[in-house]
Amino acid sequence: MASGVRIELTAIDCPNPRELAEFYGRLLGWQTIKGREDFLALYDDDGVAQLGFQRVQDYQPPTWPEGPRPQMLHLDLRVADLDAEHERTLACGAVALGEVQGTTKEGFRVYADPAGHPFCLIVD
């Protein structure tokens, strides 16, 4: 039986919602950002809000892979070509957090967004 509940979007804490919304917009190729400066939503090409970015005072980024502030959630983003997307991801403003796990044909790589949240590019 289907539930009457659905996910509206995934909200990400950060110090600067505009910066993070624009980063993920560049990375995912989505252009539409709406909301208030303390909470912005990024919409996909179909006009559906996918990610939210909310300002948190005294924000502290997660420490990855371990430490006093563990990550609570991360995004896995599927790509066809890990090498090509690696360069584009860095150009968008991400930081690589390690080497490729597995191979560039069947693996993944971990990055941090501008607010320090880990995310992965995973080979399609």
Side-chain angles (χ1 to χ4, degrees):
M1 173 174 20
S3 168
V5 178
R6 67 180 179 88
I7 294 174
E8 178 67 18
L9 58 74
T10 300
I12 301 172
D13 293 348
C14 61
N16 185 334
R18 172 76 49 197
E19 176 186 45
L20 209 53
E22 290 176 353
F23 165 77
Y24 280 104
R26 286 189 305 274
L27 186 63
L28 297 167
W30 298 339
Q31 305 297 312
T32 305
I33 298 170
K34 297 179 186 176
R36 315 174 306 272
E37 286 307 306
D38 62 337
F39 187 94
L40 294 169
L42 179 63
Y43 291 74
D44 66 17
D45 293 336
D46 294 325
V48 177
Q50 295 291 335
L51 295 173
F53 307 94
Q54 64 185 8
R55 178 174 288 122
V56 171
Q57 296 301 326
D58 302 319
Y59 170 81
Q60 296 289 314
T63 51
W64 184 89
E66 54 192 46
R69 291 180 310 280
Q71 70 174 345
M72 302 301 275
L73 171 133
H74 74 273
L75 300 174
D76 286 342
L77 306 174
R78 192 158 297 281
V79 300
D81 184 331
L82 190 56
D83 289 331
E85 291 303 325
H86 170 73
E87 295 304 322
R88 199 178 73 72
T89 299
L90 296 177
C92 285
V95 174
L97 293 180
E99 299 300 316
V100 172
Q101 303 298 307
T103 71
T104 58
K105 302 274 187 228
E106 298 178 356
F108 68 94
R109 190 165 194 168
V110 181
Y111 299 83
D113 68 23
H117 298 288
F119 68 93
C120 297
L121 295 184
I122 299 173
V123 177
D124 196 7

mmCIF file with all atom_site columns, all heavy atoms in Angstrom, residues 2 9 24 27 31 42 51-52 57-58 60 63 69 77 83 92 99 102 105 107-108 110 120:
data_model
loop_
_atom_site.group_PDB
_atom_site.id
_atom_site.type_symbol
_atom_site.label_atom_id
_atom_site.label_alt_id
_atom_site.label_comp_id
_atom_site.label_asym_id
_atom_site.label_entity_id
_atom_site.label_seq_id
_atom_site.pdbx_PDB_ins_code
_atom_site.Cartn_x
_atom_site.Cartn_y
_atom_site.Cartn_z
_atom_site.occupancy
_atom_site.B_iso_or_equiv
_atom_site.pdbx_formal_charge
_atom_site.auth_seq_id
_atom_site.auth_comp_id
_atom_site.auth_asym_id
_atom_site.auth_atom_id
_atom_site.pdbx_PDB_model_num
ATOM 1   N N   . ALA A 1 2   ? 0.584  2.174  -0.858  1.00 0.00 ? 2   ALA A N   1
ATOM 2   C CA  . ALA A 1 2   ? 1.351  3.409  -0.951  1.00 0.00 ? 2   ALA A CA  1
ATOM 3   C C   . ALA A 1 2   ? 1.045  4.314  0.236   1.00 0.00 ? 2   ALA A C   1
ATOM 4   O O   . ALA A 1 2   ? -0.084 4.369  0.716   1.00 0.00 ? 2   ALA A O   1
ATOM 5   C CB  . ALA A 1 2   ? 1.018  4.136  -2.249  1.00 0.00 ? 2   ALA A CB  1
ATOM 6   N N   . LEU A 1 9   ? 11.987 17.662 -0.229  1.00 0.00 ? 9   LEU A N   1
ATOM 7   C CA  . LEU A 1 9   ? 13.358 17.937 -0.641  1.00 0.00 ? 9   LEU A CA  1
ATOM 8   C C   . LEU A 1 9   ? 14.277 17.556 0.495   1.00 0.00 ? 9   LEU A C   1
ATOM 9   O O   . LEU A 1 9   ? 13.819 17.249 1.596   1.00 0.00 ? 9   LEU A O   1
ATOM 10  C CB  . LEU A 1 9   ? 13.557 19.405 -1.055  1.00 0.00 ? 9   LEU A CB  1
ATOM 11  C CG  . LEU A 1 9   ? 13.250 20.537 -0.069  1.00 0.00 ? 9   LEU A CG  1
ATOM 12  C CD1 . LEU A 1 9   ? 14.281 20.668 1.012   1.00 0.00 ? 9   LEU A CD1 1
ATOM 13  C CD2 . LEU A 1 9   ? 13.163 21.845 -0.835  1.00 0.00 ? 9   LEU A CD2 1
ATOM 14  N N   . TYR A 1 24  ? 25.736 23.664 -6.092  1.00 0.00 ? 24  TYR A N   1
ATOM 15  C CA  . TYR A 1 24  ? 25.016 22.475 -6.554  1.00 0.00 ? 24  TYR A CA  1
ATOM 16  C C   . TYR A 1 24  ? 24.288 22.741 -7.868  1.00 0.00 ? 24  TYR A C   1
ATOM 17  O O   . TYR A 1 24  ? 24.146 21.831 -8.683  1.00 0.00 ? 24  TYR A O   1
ATOM 18  C CB  . TYR A 1 24  ? 24.079 21.937 -5.469  1.00 0.00 ? 24  TYR A CB  1
ATOM 19  C CG  . TYR A 1 24  ? 24.829 21.124 -4.440  1.00 0.00 ? 24  TYR A CG  1
ATOM 20  C CD1 . TYR A 1 24  ? 25.115 21.646 -3.189  1.00 0.00 ? 24  TYR A CD1 1
ATOM 21  C CD2 . TYR A 1 24  ? 25.284 19.848 -4.733  1.00 0.00 ? 24  TYR A CD2 1
ATOM 22  C CE1 . TYR A 1 24  ? 25.824 20.902 -2.252  1.00 0.00 ? 24  TYR A CE1 1
ATOM 23  C CE2 . TYR A 1 24  ? 25.988 19.099 -3.809  1.00 0.00 ? 24  TYR A CE2 1
ATOM 24  C CZ  . TYR A 1 24  ? 26.262 19.638 -2.569  1.00 0.00 ? 24  TYR A CZ  1
ATOM 25  O OH  . TYR A 1 24  ? 26.979 18.894 -1.660  1.00 0.00 ? 24  TYR A OH  1
ATOM 26  N N   . LEU A 1 27  ? 26.994 22.209 -10.407 1.00 0.00 ? 27  LEU A N   1
ATOM 27  C CA  . LEU A 1 27  ? 27.363 20.801 -10.456 1.00 0.00 ? 27  LEU A CA  1
ATOM 28  C C   . LEU A 1 27  ? 26.302 19.958 -11.153 1.00 0.00 ? 27  LEU A C   1
ATOM 29  O O   . LEU A 1 27  ? 26.620 19.103 -11.979 1.00 0.00 ? 27  LEU A O   1
ATOM 30  C CB  . LEU A 1 27  ? 27.599 20.280 -9.031  1.00 0.00 ? 27  LEU A CB  1
ATOM 31  C CG  . LEU A 1 27  ? 28.141 18.863 -8.907  1.00 0.00 ? 27  LEU A CG  1
ATOM 32  C CD1 . LEU A 1 27  ? 29.526 18.766 -9.531  1.00 0.00 ? 27  LEU A CD1 1
ATOM 33  C CD2 . LEU A 1 27  ? 28.193 18.459 -7.442  1.00 0.00 ? 27  LEU A CD2 1
ATOM 34  N N   . GLN A 1 31  ? 19.250 25.466 -12.906 1.00 0.00 ? 31  GLN A N   1
ATOM 35  C CA  . GLN A 1 31  ? 19.370 26.918 -12.893 1.00 0.00 ? 31  GLN A CA  1
ATOM 36  C C   . GLN A 1 31  ? 18.488 27.629 -11.874 1.00 0.00 ? 31  GLN A C   1
ATOM 37  O O   . GLN A 1 31  ? 18.786 28.741 -11.482 1.00 0.00 ? 31  GLN A O   1
ATOM 38  C CB  . GLN A 1 31  ? 19.009 27.465 -14.291 1.00 0.00 ? 31  GLN A CB  1
ATOM 39  C CG  . GLN A 1 31  ? 19.827 26.857 -15.412 1.00 0.00 ? 31  GLN A CG  1
ATOM 40  C CD  . GLN A 1 31  ? 21.297 27.160 -15.281 1.00 0.00 ? 31  GLN A CD  1
ATOM 41  O OE1 . GLN A 1 31  ? 21.664 28.308 -15.061 1.00 0.00 ? 31  GLN A OE1 1
ATOM 42  N NE2 . GLN A 1 31  ? 22.147 26.152 -15.396 1.00 0.00 ? 31  GLN A NE2 1
ATOM 43  N N   . LEU A 1 42  ? 16.769 24.568 -4.565  1.00 0.00 ? 42  LEU A N   1
ATOM 44  C CA  . LEU A 1 42  ? 17.283 24.361 -5.915  1.00 0.00 ? 42  LEU A CA  1
ATOM 45  C C   . LEU A 1 42  ? 16.334 23.421 -6.633  1.00 0.00 ? 42  LEU A C   1
ATOM 46  O O   . LEU A 1 42  ? 16.023 22.341 -6.123  1.00 0.00 ? 42  LEU A O   1
ATOM 47  C CB  . LEU A 1 42  ? 18.692 23.760 -5.853  1.00 0.00 ? 42  LEU A CB  1
ATOM 48  C CG  . LEU A 1 42  ? 19.371 23.444 -7.183  1.00 0.00 ? 42  LEU A CG  1
ATOM 49  C CD1 . LEU A 1 42  ? 19.593 24.707 -8.011  1.00 0.00 ? 42  LEU A CD1 1
ATOM 50  C CD2 . LEU A 1 42  ? 20.705 22.743 -6.920  1.00 0.00 ? 42  LEU A CD2 1
ATOM 51  N N   . LEU A 1 51  ? 16.763 20.158 -3.618  1.00 0.00 ? 51  LEU A N   1
ATOM 52  C CA  . LEU A 1 51  ? 17.660 20.399 -2.487  1.00 0.00 ? 51  LEU A CA  1
ATOM 53  C C   . LEU A 1 51  ? 17.331 21.739 -1.852  1.00 0.00 ? 51  LEU A C   1
ATOM 54  O O   . LEU A 1 51  ? 17.049 22.714 -2.562  1.00 0.00 ? 51  LEU A O   1
ATOM 55  C CB  . LEU A 1 51  ? 19.120 20.414 -2.951  1.00 0.00 ? 51  LEU A CB  1
ATOM 56  C CG  . LEU A 1 51  ? 19.686 19.104 -3.492  1.00 0.00 ? 51  LEU A CG  1
ATOM 57  C CD1 . LEU A 1 51  ? 21.078 19.330 -4.068  1.00 0.00 ? 51  LEU A CD1 1
ATOM 58  C CD2 . LEU A 1 51  ? 19.727 18.040 -2.407  1.00 0.00 ? 51  LEU A CD2 1
ATOM 59  N N   . GLY A 1 52  ? 17.389 21.787 -0.531  1.00 0.00 ? 52  GLY A N   1
ATOM 60  C CA  . GLY A 1 52  ? 17.222 23.035 0.199   1.00 0.00 ? 52  GLY A CA  1
ATOM 61  C C   . GLY A 1 52  ? 18.501 23.350 0.950   1.00 0.00 ? 52  GLY A C   1
ATOM 62  O O   . GLY A 1 52  ? 19.253 22.453 1.327   1.00 0.00 ? 52  GLY A O   1
ATOM 63  N N   . GLN A 1 57  ? 23.456 29.529 12.088  1.00 0.00 ? 57  GLN A N   1
ATOM 64  C CA  . GLN A 1 57  ? 24.437 30.372 12.768  1.00 0.00 ? 57  GLN A CA  1
ATOM 65  C C   . GLN A 1 57  ? 25.487 29.478 13.410  1.00 0.00 ? 57  GLN A C   1
ATOM 66  O O   . GLN A 1 57  ? 25.180 28.392 13.902  1.00 0.00 ? 57  GLN A O   1
ATOM 67  C CB  . GLN A 1 57  ? 23.750 31.237 13.828  1.00 0.00 ? 57  GLN A CB  1
ATOM 68  C CG  . GLN A 1 57  ? 22.754 32.218 13.265  1.00 0.00 ? 57  GLN A CG  1
ATOM 69  C CD  . GLN A 1 57  ? 23.367 33.208 12.267  1.00 0.00 ? 57  GLN A CD  1
ATOM 70  O OE1 . GLN A 1 57  ? 24.512 33.622 12.390  1.00 0.00 ? 57  GLN A OE1 1
ATOM 71  N NE2 . GLN A 1 57  ? 22.586 33.555 11.260  1.00 0.00 ? 57  GLN A NE2 1
ATOM 72  N N   . ASP A 1 58  ? 26.729 29.926 13.409  1.00 0.00 ? 58  ASP A N   1
ATOM 73  C CA  . ASP A 1 58  ? 27.844 29.178 14.012  1.00 0.00 ? 58  ASP A CA  1
ATOM 74  C C   . ASP A 1 58  ? 27.990 27.781 13.425  1.00 0.00 ? 58  ASP A C   1
ATOM 75  O O   . ASP A 1 58  ? 28.364 26.829 14.120  1.00 0.00 ? 58  ASP A O   1
ATOM 76  C CB  . ASP A 1 58  ? 27.690 29.100 15.536  1.00 0.00 ? 58  ASP A CB  1
ATOM 77  C CG  . ASP A 1 58  ? 27.619 30.477 16.179  1.00 0.00 ? 58  ASP A CG  1
ATOM 78  O OD1 . ASP A 1 58  ? 28.383 31.361 15.746  1.00 0.00 ? 58  ASP A OD1 1
ATOM 79  O OD2 . ASP A 1 58  ? 26.787 30.665 17.074  1.00 0.00 ? 58  ASP A OD2 1
ATOM 80  N N   . GLN A 1 60  ? 29.342 24.546 11.794  1.00 0.00 ? 60  GLN A N   1
ATOM 81  C CA  . GLN A 1 60  ? 30.621 23.842 11.816  1.00 0.00 ? 60  GLN A CA  1
ATOM 82  C C   . GLN A 1 60  ? 30.515 22.675 10.845  1.00 0.00 ? 60  GLN A C   1
ATOM 83  O O   . GLN A 1 60  ? 29.600 21.858 10.966  1.00 0.00 ? 60  GLN A O   1
ATOM 84  C CB  . GLN A 1 60  ? 30.912 23.308 13.224  1.00 0.00 ? 60  GLN A CB  1
ATOM 85  C CG  . GLN A 1 60  ? 31.083 24.393 14.265  1.00 0.00 ? 60  GLN A CG  1
ATOM 86  C CD  . GLN A 1 60  ? 32.382 25.149 14.071  1.00 0.00 ? 60  GLN A CD  1
ATOM 87  O OE1 . GLN A 1 60  ? 33.438 24.559 13.869  1.00 0.00 ? 60  GLN A OE1 1
ATOM 88  N NE2 . GLN A 1 60  ? 32.305 26.463 14.121  1.00 0.00 ? 60  GLN A NE2 1
ATOM 89  N N   . THR A 1 63  ? 33.366 16.635 10.133  1.00 0.00 ? 63  THR A N   1
ATOM 90  C CA  . THR A 1 63  ? 34.739 16.148 10.025  1.00 0.00 ? 63  THR A CA  1
ATOM 91  C C   . THR A 1 63  ? 34.650 14.764 9.396   1.00 0.00 ? 63  THR A C   1
ATOM 92  O O   . THR A 1 63  ? 33.911 13.912 9.884   1.00 0.00 ? 63  THR A O   1
ATOM 93  C CB  . THR A 1 63  ? 35.416 16.102 11.405  1.00 0.00 ? 63  THR A CB  1
ATOM 94  O OG1 . THR A 1 63  ? 34.575 15.392 12.315  1.00 0.00 ? 63  THR A OG1 1
ATOM 95  C CG2 . THR A 1 63  ? 35.650 17.500 11.939  1.00 0.00 ? 63  THR A CG2 1
ATOM 96  N N   . ARG A 1 69  ? 32.571 15.892 14.664  1.00 0.00 ? 69  ARG A N   1
ATOM 97  C CA  . ARG A 1 69  ? 31.304 16.217 13.990  1.00 0.00 ? 69  ARG A CA  1
ATOM 98  C C   . ARG A 1 69  ? 31.124 15.281 12.793  1.00 0.00 ? 69  ARG A C   1
ATOM 99  O O   . ARG A 1 69  ? 31.391 15.664 11.655  1.00 0.00 ? 69  ARG A O   1
ATOM 100 C CB  . ARG A 1 69  ? 31.291 17.675 13.547  1.00 0.00 ? 69  ARG A CB  1
ATOM 101 C CG  . ARG A 1 69  ? 31.212 18.669 14.697  1.00 0.00 ? 69  ARG A CG  1
ATOM 102 C CD  . ARG A 1 69  ? 31.209 20.097 14.223  1.00 0.00 ? 69  ARG A CD  1
ATOM 103 N NE  . ARG A 1 69  ? 32.274 20.412 13.286  1.00 0.00 ? 69  ARG A NE  1
ATOM 104 C CZ  . ARG A 1 69  ? 33.539 20.666 13.613  1.00 0.00 ? 69  ARG A CZ  1
ATOM 105 N NH1 . ARG A 1 69  ? 33.909 20.662 14.868  1.00 0.00 ? 69  ARG A NH1 1
ATOM 106 N NH2 . ARG A 1 69  ? 34.436 20.948 12.699  1.00 0.00 ? 69  ARG A NH2 1
ATOM 107 N N   . LEU A 1 77  ? 26.098 11.012 -6.187  1.00 0.00 ? 77  LEU A N   1
ATOM 108 C CA  . LEU A 1 77  ? 25.737 11.534 -7.506  1.00 0.00 ? 77  LEU A CA  1
ATOM 109 C C   . LEU A 1 77  ? 26.314 10.614 -8.578  1.00 0.00 ? 77  LEU A C   1
ATOM 110 O O   . LEU A 1 77  ? 27.519 10.383 -8.620  1.00 0.00 ? 77  LEU A O   1
ATOM 111 C CB  . LEU A 1 77  ? 26.276 12.962 -7.670  1.00 0.00 ? 77  LEU A CB  1
ATOM 112 C CG  . LEU A 1 77  ? 25.869 13.936 -6.559  1.00 0.00 ? 77  LEU A CG  1
ATOM 113 C CD1 . LEU A 1 77  ? 26.574 15.271 -6.739  1.00 0.00 ? 77  LEU A CD1 1
ATOM 114 C CD2 . LEU A 1 77  ? 24.365 14.105 -6.509  1.00 0.00 ? 77  LEU A CD2 1
ATOM 115 N N   . ASP A 1 83  ? 36.483 10.452 -14.530 1.00 0.00 ? 83  ASP A N   1
ATOM 116 C CA  . ASP A 1 83  ? 37.611 11.341 -14.796 1.00 0.00 ? 83  ASP A CA  1
ATOM 117 C C   . ASP A 1 83  ? 37.141 12.709 -15.286 1.00 0.00 ? 83  ASP A C   1
ATOM 118 O O   . ASP A 1 83  ? 37.600 13.745 -14.798 1.00 0.00 ? 83  ASP A O   1
ATOM 119 C CB  . ASP A 1 83  ? 38.562 10.725 -15.828 1.00 0.00 ? 83  ASP A CB  1
ATOM 120 C CG  . ASP A 1 83  ? 39.334 9.534  -15.264 1.00 0.00 ? 83  ASP A CG  1
ATOM 121 O OD1 . ASP A 1 83  ? 39.577 9.510  -14.036 1.00 0.00 ? 83  ASP A OD1 1
ATOM 122 O OD2 . ASP A 1 83  ? 39.677 8.636  -16.044 1.00 0.00 ? 83  ASP A OD2 1
ATOM 123 N N   . CYS A 1 92  ? 33.841 23.477 -10.299 1.00 0.00 ? 92  CYS A N   1
ATOM 124 C CA  . CYS A 1 92  ? 32.624 24.032 -9.685  1.00 0.00 ? 92  CYS A CA  1
ATOM 125 C C   . CYS A 1 92  ? 32.886 24.535 -8.269  1.00 0.00 ? 92  CYS A C   1
ATOM 126 O O   . CYS A 1 92  ? 32.092 25.315 -7.738  1.00 0.00 ? 92  CYS A O   1
ATOM 127 C CB  . CYS A 1 92  ? 31.521 22.973 -9.639  1.00 0.00 ? 92  CYS A CB  1
ATOM 128 S SG  . CYS A 1 92  ? 30.740 22.655 -11.225 1.00 0.00 ? 92  CYS A SG  1
ATOM 129 N N   . GLU A 1 99  ? 41.363 9.547  -2.875  1.00 0.00 ? 99  GLU A N   1
ATOM 130 C CA  . GLU A 1 99  ? 41.551 8.941  -4.177  1.00 0.00 ? 99  GLU A CA  1
ATOM 131 C C   . GLU A 1 99  ? 40.313 8.164  -4.593  1.00 0.00 ? 99  GLU A C   1
ATOM 132 O O   . GLU A 1 99  ? 39.421 7.923  -3.790  1.00 0.00 ? 99  GLU A O   1
ATOM 133 C CB  . GLU A 1 99  ? 42.766 8.007  -4.135  1.00 0.00 ? 99  GLU A CB  1
ATOM 134 C CG  . GLU A 1 99  ? 44.061 8.716  -3.791  1.00 0.00 ? 99  GLU A CG  1
ATOM 135 C CD  . GLU A 1 99  ? 44.415 9.810  -4.784  1.00 0.00 ? 99  GLU A CD  1
ATOM 136 O OE1 . GLU A 1 99  ? 44.289 9.583  -5.999  1.00 0.00 ? 99  GLU A OE1 1
ATOM 137 O OE2 . GLU A 1 99  ? 44.804 10.902 -4.333  1.00 0.00 ? 99  GLU A OE2 1
ATOM 138 N N   . GLY A 1 102 ? 37.960 1.848  -5.748  1.00 0.00 ? 102 GLY A N   1
ATOM 139 C CA  . GLY A 1 102 ? 37.658 0.956  -6.865  1.00 0.00 ? 102 GLY A CA  1
ATOM 140 C C   . GLY A 1 102 ? 38.433 1.454  -8.072  1.00 0.00 ? 102 GLY A C   1
ATOM 141 O O   . GLY A 1 102 ? 39.607 1.769  -7.971  1.00 0.00 ? 102 GLY A O   1
ATOM 142 N N   . LYS A 1 105 ? 36.233 3.143  -13.675 1.00 0.00 ? 105 LYS A N   1
ATOM 143 C CA  . LYS A 1 105 ? 35.160 2.510  -14.450 1.00 0.00 ? 105 LYS A CA  1
ATOM 144 C C   . LYS A 1 105 ? 34.075 1.899  -13.560 1.00 0.00 ? 105 LYS A C   1
ATOM 145 O O   . LYS A 1 105 ? 32.953 1.715  -13.982 1.00 0.00 ? 105 LYS A O   1
ATOM 146 C CB  . LYS A 1 105 ? 35.722 1.407  -15.353 1.00 0.00 ? 105 LYS A CB  1
ATOM 147 C CG  . LYS A 1 105 ? 36.779 1.888  -16.312 1.00 0.00 ? 105 LYS A CG  1
ATOM 148 C CD  . LYS A 1 105 ? 36.140 2.434  -17.564 1.00 0.00 ? 105 LYS A CD  1
ATOM 149 C CE  . LYS A 1 105 ? 37.222 2.745  -18.578 1.00 0.00 ? 105 LYS A CE  1
ATOM 150 N NZ  . LYS A 1 105 ? 37.097 4.033  -19.171 1.00 0.00 ? 105 LYS A NZ  1
ATOM 151 N N   . GLY A 1 107 ? 33.947 2.600  -9.759  1.00 0.00 ? 107 GLY A N   1
ATOM 152 C CA  . GLY A 1 107 ? 34.168 3.035  -8.387  1.00 0.00 ? 107 GLY A CA  1
ATOM 153 C C   . GLY A 1 107 ? 33.487 4.343  -8.051  1.00 0.00 ? 107 GLY A C   1
ATOM 154 O O   . GLY A 1 107 ? 32.499 4.734  -8.666  1.00 0.00 ? 107 GLY A O   1
ATOM 155 N N   . PHE A 1 108 ? 34.052 5.022  -7.054  1.00 0.00 ? 108 PHE A N   1
ATOM 156 C CA  . PHE A 1 108 ? 33.517 6.301  -6.610  1.00 0.00 ? 108 PHE A CA  1
ATOM 157 C C   . PHE A 1 108 ? 34.650 7.134  -6.030  1.00 0.00 ? 108 PHE A C   1
ATOM 158 O O   . PHE A 1 108 ? 35.744 6.640  -5.769  1.00 0.00 ? 108 PHE A O   1
ATOM 159 C CB  . PHE A 1 108 ? 32.408 6.105  -5.571  1.00 0.00 ? 108 PHE A CB  1
ATOM 160 C CG  . PHE A 1 108 ? 32.881 5.554  -4.252  1.00 0.00 ? 108 PHE A CG  1
ATOM 161 C CD1 . PHE A 1 108 ? 33.214 6.400  -3.203  1.00 0.00 ? 108 PHE A CD1 1
ATOM 162 C CD2 . PHE A 1 108 ? 32.980 4.188  -4.058  1.00 0.00 ? 108 PHE A CD2 1
ATOM 163 C CE1 . PHE A 1 108 ? 33.652 5.886  -1.989  1.00 0.00 ? 108 PHE A CE1 1
ATOM 164 C CE2 . PHE A 1 108 ? 33.410 3.662  -2.849  1.00 0.00 ? 108 PHE A CE2 1
ATOM 165 C CZ  . PHE A 1 108 ? 33.751 4.523  -1.811  1.00 0.00 ? 108 PHE A CZ  1
ATOM 166 N N   . VAL A 1 110 ? 35.158 10.630 -3.206  1.00 0.00 ? 110 VAL A N   1
ATOM 167 C CA  . VAL A 1 110 ? 34.518 11.500 -2.219  1.00 0.00 ? 110 VAL A CA  1
ATOM 168 C C   . VAL A 1 110 ? 35.068 12.921 -2.359  1.00 0.00 ? 110 VAL A C   1
ATOM 169 O O   . VAL A 1 110 ? 36.269 13.119 -2.538  1.00 0.00 ? 110 VAL A O   1
ATOM 170 C CB  . VAL A 1 110 ? 34.763 10.975 -0.786  1.00 0.00 ? 110 VAL A CB  1
ATOM 171 C CG1 . VAL A 1 110 ? 34.074 11.856 0.243   1.00 0.00 ? 110 VAL A CG1 1
ATOM 172 C CG2 . VAL A 1 110 ? 34.303 9.526  -0.653  1.00 0.00 ? 110 VAL A CG2 1
ATOM 173 N N   . CYS A 1 120 ? 29.617 12.043 -2.891  1.00 0.00 ? 120 CYS A N   1
ATOM 174 C CA  . CYS A 1 120 ? 30.351 11.103 -3.736  1.00 0.00 ? 120 CYS A CA  1
ATOM 175 C C   . CYS A 1 120 ? 29.906 11.206 -5.185  1.00 0.00 ? 120 CYS A C   1
ATOM 176 O O   . CYS A 1 120 ? 28.727 11.390 -5.461  1.00 0.00 ? 120 CYS A O   1
ATOM 177 C CB  . CYS A 1 120 ? 30.109 9.670  -3.278  1.00 0.00 ? 120 CYS A CB  1
ATOM 178 S SG  . CYS A 1 120 ? 30.692 9.328  -1.614  1.00 0.00 ? 120 CYS A SG  1
#
